Structures are given as structure tokens and as C-alpha cells.
Amino acid sequence: MCAVIGMVCTTHVASALYDGLTVQQHRGQDASGIATVDGDRLRLHRGNGLVSDVFDQKAVNLLRGHAGIGHCRYPTAGSEGADEAQPFYVNSPYGIAMAHNGNLVNTESLRRQMFEADRRHINTDSDSEILLNVLAHELDIQKTLTLRPENIFKAVSGVHERAVGGYACVVLLLGYGLLAFRDPHGIRPLVLGERLTDAGHEYMVASESVALDVLGFRRLRDVAPGEAIFVSNDGCFHSHHPRSGRKHTPCIFEYVYLARPDSMIENVSVYKARLRMGQKLAEKIDRQCPDHGIDAVIPIPDTSRTAASALAELLGIPFREGFVKNRYVGRTFIMPDQGDRVKSVRRKLNAIHLEFRNKTVLLVDDSIVRGTTSRQIIQMARDAGARRVYFASAAPPVRYPNVYGIDMPSAHELIAAGKTEQEIQERLGTDWLIYQDLNDLIWAIRDGNENLKYFDASCFDGEYITGLDPHYLQQVEQLRSDVAKATRRSV
């Protein structure tokens, strides 16, 4: 889970890139970086930490240039050290810097190809560096001293032929401009914006439209699956959208958890999609247990608040804020290990006892992944005096790893893997557990854009649109378990 941003403007872009990353900070809190082009020189600053930790005013001032890209990330498997902070850079050919949101599922075969056929050395464990070198090789075999848009688009087509997985990329080509492209299935999001100034057109791409809003860009559209966009240094816009015949399958978890509610993804308001998720949950509760006796609906801050408010309204039950959140503790889902997640829950949330005392409460969360946080929150509600504690998830059971850019844990660490809902309920310690049905979740999103026919819902249904090598999930298990991560950090 990462955020990318890229801009070509008539003025220096570093401050705007900084602001665009801060409003996408929810997508990754582990590392961040910005690269700009100043004449024929690349200026790059990156490091571990929040955007505000990595960049001070001096660092921003040194990032001169009218074109630039930025990135913030959280520690995915194989991408946990300072060396993996993005953007990455290679000097041949032309000089290329790249930032990438997503994950490749054929990393190892590409790594071998890079060494054996392309004669390129990969210096980190990051698949982003591999993707950068694939692009560099595809540009190099164009055998031209001066790149034209058609050369660039042909190189991106070569990347699509070789790279398998989910990816949204922003690229600086020194001396030429900004390149952005998205995987042929459109799994990871990327949105395009435009701003008209007295000096000319300015263009921007970002993972979420909220970055466009904050910087005063008009949202034009989402970058299409497989599409490549090139904006030259003088502001000329070019686009190439080959018809691949592959299904458009945007990531459904973006709407459930990852994206900000004020973002638009695939012309769907994330906020309205979450309202509809709450509506469908309310209908399910009313259908299964009309005499539920719920006294209050309480959201788990912050992502579930929208769905919980709609659920409460439709059921005619008071909506109450039962937990106060410490906003200076990061999102527990993206904590690097189980120990951090366990310790952070009590630091992150504190119960308002009067909202629980002697009540039957329905706690609403966006999803349940490991169950660690949910189990502790349920116990906090009981400790605060709740008579009965029900728990609703706006998403279906997460039973399978996500392999396209969300670092969900290995299968054996997912609380729902191989278990019935009754068994999960007992593990969580709740009096009643209600999951969203997958068809209802799909409806909640598709109702905002009927052109969306399919989604990547692999973490719910185990169907991987790109196909997977038979041994890939075993490799994921070895990389993503908390034990494996702890072992890598101790080396």
C-alpha cells in the first residue's frame, strides 16, 4: 500500500509534491521521497518516516525543478529498509526515476531475466527497482538518441508484456518529461488532473483524487487500465491506450479501507460507496435478527464511521462515538509486526464509558484482517460496562492474502482463513458477528458506476485475476509472516 504523485508545472513543484504526499499519508507511513528534474540534473531526497519527518524546508528548497514525482509507502515484504525508500533511479538510458504503487507476482523470474538476458543488476529486494529496470531496458532497445512519445509508449507496452501484477507508476525521464502508466487490469488506482494557469497547462497524476483537490487541479479522469500518459517538459500531453482484452478489475479493498472517503476512484465516491455498505449491513441485520435489541451503533475510528452512520440511520438506532482516537498513532493495519499492533491499540483508542455502560452495542469496523485489533476493542467495550457486544464488518471475511500491493499477512495469520463465521465469532469474543456479503459489497461500489463489471476481490474470494505460479503463495507465506519479518529486522 503506497501513494504516488507526479507533476509537470510552470513553477517549481517540490512544495506541491510535499503537500500532495501529506494528504495521501494514510496510504503509507514508513518512508517517503521526492525527485525533481532541474535542467539536466535529477534532484532526489528520500528516507524513512512520515513526509513531515523526511522533509524540512531546506530539503524542499533544494528540490528545484518544474517536473517531479513523489512516493510514500509502508513496509511491504521485501521493502522494509531505508534502501527501499522511493523514488528509485537508474542513469541508463537517459536517466530515469520511478515511484511505484503495487506488487508484481513474477518478481523472481524478472530478476533472473534482468541478470541473465538484460545484463542489469538489481541492488535491493524491491520489485519497484525491478520494474524500473524493465522499463529502462525496454527504452534502451528502442535504439534512439531522441525519445519520441511513440518510443516511450512502445517501451511501456514491453513492460506490460513482461510484468505481471498490480502497478501504478510515475516516472521522470530526464530531458523529456513525466510518464505515468497503470497495469492492464487497472488494479491499483491512478487519477489524472489538469490546472490551467496564465503560463499554460499543468498536469498531475496521483493515487487518490484528494491530492488533486488540495492542489487546485481539476480531476479529468482515471488513467485507464494499461494506459500510458506522457507529459513533456513543455507541457504537451500525450496518451496511449492499447486494447489488451484483459478484464478491468480495480482493487475492491480501496473502497473498504485504503482510500480517503473524500476521494473518487473509477468515478465512484468512496464516501457514498461506504454509505451503501452501511445500508446493506443494516438490511442484513434486519433480515437475520429484527429483534436485535441494539441500543447504540459505535464506529471504530475512523474508516468505518461512514458505513456505521448509514447503518444506524436505516435501523433507527442512535449513532454514538464510543471511542476517542489518538491521532498521533499510525494505522494499526500497517504496523510492521504483531507486537506493535497489540501495543498500539490501547494507545490509539480510549473508550467513553457512559456510551457502553449497561448497553447492547453494535461495534462497526471496515474489515477484520488478523482480528488482533477487533478482539482488543471488543474487550475494551466489555471493560467499559457493555452488557452485550455485537460486531459488524463492512467487508466480507478476509480469507486469502492480497498479492497486488496490499501487504496483508500470510494466510495462517488471517483470522478468517479456514474458519466458519461461528468460529471467528468465538475467537473474537463477541456475542454476535455480522459480515458483509461479497455481492452486497460489490453492489455498494458498482452502484456509483455501472460500467464497473469486475473487481479484484482476491482477499475475499481467492480468485487472482493474473494467475499465480503454484509456489507463489508459499513464497508470500515465507515473506509476510510476522516471524519472517522479525527475523529480517534482526539480521
Side-chain angles (χ1 to χ4, degrees):
M1 188 167 79
C2 303
V4 297
I5 185 172
M7 303 175 70
V8 175
C9 293
T10 57
T11 57
H12 293 290
V13 297
S15 293
L17 290 168
Y18 175 94
D19 291 339
L21 287 177
T22 58
V23 297
Q24 298 184 103
Q25 186 78 83
H26 58 285
R27 300 184 66 87
Q29 302 163 6
D30 183 63
S32 54
I34 291 174
T36 61
V37 175
D38 181 19
D40 59 357
R41 180 174 178 180
L42 181 84
R43 297 188 178 274
L44 173 64
H45 185 83
R46 59 182 186 166
N48 279 358
L50 301 174
V51 177
S52 58
D53 295 330
V54 174
F55 296 94
D56 55 19
Q57 192 60 55
K58 180 180 178 182
V60 173
N61 290 343
L62 290 173
L63 291 166
R64 295 189 295 272
H66 293 189
I69 59 175
H71 185 268
C72 61
R73 71 161 170 86
Y74 81 131
T76 55
S79 184
E80 296 157 11
D83 290 343
E84 279 75 37
Q86 296 184 41
F88 284 112
Y89 172 74
V90 292
N91 63 3
S92 176
Y94 311 108
I96 311 168
M98 174 187 281
H100 159 229
N101 171 32
N103 188 65
L104 303 182
V105 298
N106 64 333
T107 302
E108 292 311 311
S109 63
L110 281 176
R111 190 186 301 274
R112 288 193 299 271
Q113 290 175 27
M114 286 288 99
F115 180 76
E116 296 171 1
D118 299 350
R119 296 295 187 260
R120 285 183 169 270
H121 174 69
I122 306 301
N123 199 47
T124 71
D125 293 328
S126 172
D127 61 346
S128 302
E129 189 189 10
I130 292 175
L131 195 58
L132 168 60
N133 276 273
V134 172
L135 175 63
H137 176 76
E138 294 299 323
L139 287 167
D140 198 24
I141 62 177
Q142 300 297 308
K143 300 299 182 186
T144 179
L145 292 176
T146 303
L147 280 177
R148 297 180 182 276
E150 54 266 29
N151 302 126
I152 296 170
F153 295 146
K154 187 174 181 180
V156 173
S157 294
V159 173
H160 290 330
E161 290 297 320
R162 299 177 67 180
V164 180
Y167 50 90
C169 301
V170 290
V171 181
L172 286 178
L173 298 171
L174 270 67
Y176 294 97
L178 171 71
L179 169 66
F181 58 93
R182 195 175 174 201
D183 71 83
H185 292 288
I187 298 173
R188 300 264 59 88
L190 194 63
V191 63
L192 170 67
E194 176 190 46
R195 185 170 67 185
L196 184 60
T197 70
D198 292 339
H201 280 80
E202 299 179 331
Y203 291 96
M204 173 180 171
V205 290
S207 293
E208 291 191 34
S209 64
V210 64
L212 307 181
D213 300 338
V214 167
L215 295 171
F217 280 75
R218 180 172 65 95
R219 183 177 64 91
L220 294 176
R221 59 181 176 82
D222 294 89
V223 176
E227 182 182 12
I229 286 169
F230 174 66
V231 183
S232 63
N233 287 331
D234 59 3
C236 291
F237 179 88
H238 306 268
S239 170
H240 178 62
H241 184 198
R243 301 296 177 181
S244 67
R246 301 185 215 187
K247 286 183 180 178
H248 180 194
T249 55
C251 175
I252 204 167
F253 210 69
E254 289 280 351
Y255 299 91
V256 171
Y257 174 82
L258 299 188
R260 277 178 45 150
D262 47 345
S263 282
M264 296 282 294
I265 299 177
E266 303 289 355
N267 286 323
V268 176
S269 163
V270 175
Y271 174 75
K272 288 187 176 180
R274 289 176 183 168
L275 286 176
R276 292 189 288 266
M277 292 175 204
Q279 172 189 337
K280 285 298 184 182
L281 267 179
E283 292 173 0
K284 184 173 183 178
I285 290 170
D286 218 18
R287 190 169 60 247
Q288 289 192 350
C289 188
D291 300 323
H292 45 69
I294 300 169
D295 297 308
V297 174
I298 296 175
I300 310 302
D302 281 317
T303 321
S304 64
R305 186 172 281 118
T306 307
S309 65
L311 185 157
E313 182 180 3
L314 265 72
L315 291 180
I317 299 171
F319 174 86
R320 293 289 185 264
E321 295 286 354
F323 296 100
V324 176
K325 180 181 178 181
N326 178 355
R327 300 186 182 280
Y328 301 97
V329 177
R331 301 177 93 175
T332 51
F333 173 81
I334 60 178
M335 293 285 173
D337 61 40
Q338 180 77 345
D340 288 336
R341 288 186 292 270
V342 170
K343 289 185 292 185
S344 73
V345 175
R346 292 278 178 171
R347 296 199 308 261
K348 181 178 179 179
L349 297 176
N350 190 45
I352 302 174
H353 285 233
L354 62 87
E355 294 295 354
F356 293 94
R357 197 171 296 129
N358 298 320
K359 293 182 179 180
T360 295
V361 296
L362 173 64
L363 306 183
V364 182
D365 209 348
D366 52 78
S367 58
I368 306 169
V369 182
R370 296 172 181 85
T372 306
T373 302
S374 304
R375 190 162 47 242
Q376 291 188 72
I377 290 173
I378 290 165
Q379 187 58 49
M380 287 173 67
R382 294 197 188 281
D383 294 344
R387 187 170 65 252
R388 287 191 296 274
V389 181
Y390 302 156
F391 201 95
S393 167
V398 177
R399 302 188 186 278
Y400 308 92
N402 182 290
V403 300
Y404 299 125
I406 305 172
D407 194 34
M408 284 183 177
S410 56
H412 80 273
E413 292 173 345
L414 296 169
I415 191 170
K419 297 185 184 67
T420 66
E421 292 187 16
Q422 181 62 38
E423 290 171 332
I424 302 167
Q425 179 177 309
E426 293 170 2
R427 286 280 302 273
L428 292 176
T430 184
D431 296 295
W432 184 29
L433 175 64
I434 310 101
Y435 274 112
Q436 185 85 265
D437 293 332
L438 181 56
N439 286 338
D440 287 344
L441 175 61
I442 291 172
W443 174 87
I445 300 164
R446 185 185 287 158
D447 193 59
N449 180 359
E450 293 182 356
N451 292 323
L452 292 176
K453 303 299 183 184
Y454 310 98
F455 293 91
D456 167 45
S458 53
C459 58
F460 303 129
D461 60 17
E463 296 180 9
Y464 298 99
I465 187 66
T466 63
L468 296 178
D469 179 277
H471 303 294
Y472 183 78
L473 289 180
Q474 183 178 353
Q475 295 170 4
V476 169
E477 185 88 11
Q478 294 170 349
L479 281 171
R480 292 188 179 178
S481 71
D482 283 334
V483 172
K485 290 180 180 179
T487 300
R488 287 196 297 274
R489 283 195 296 274
S490 66
V491 174

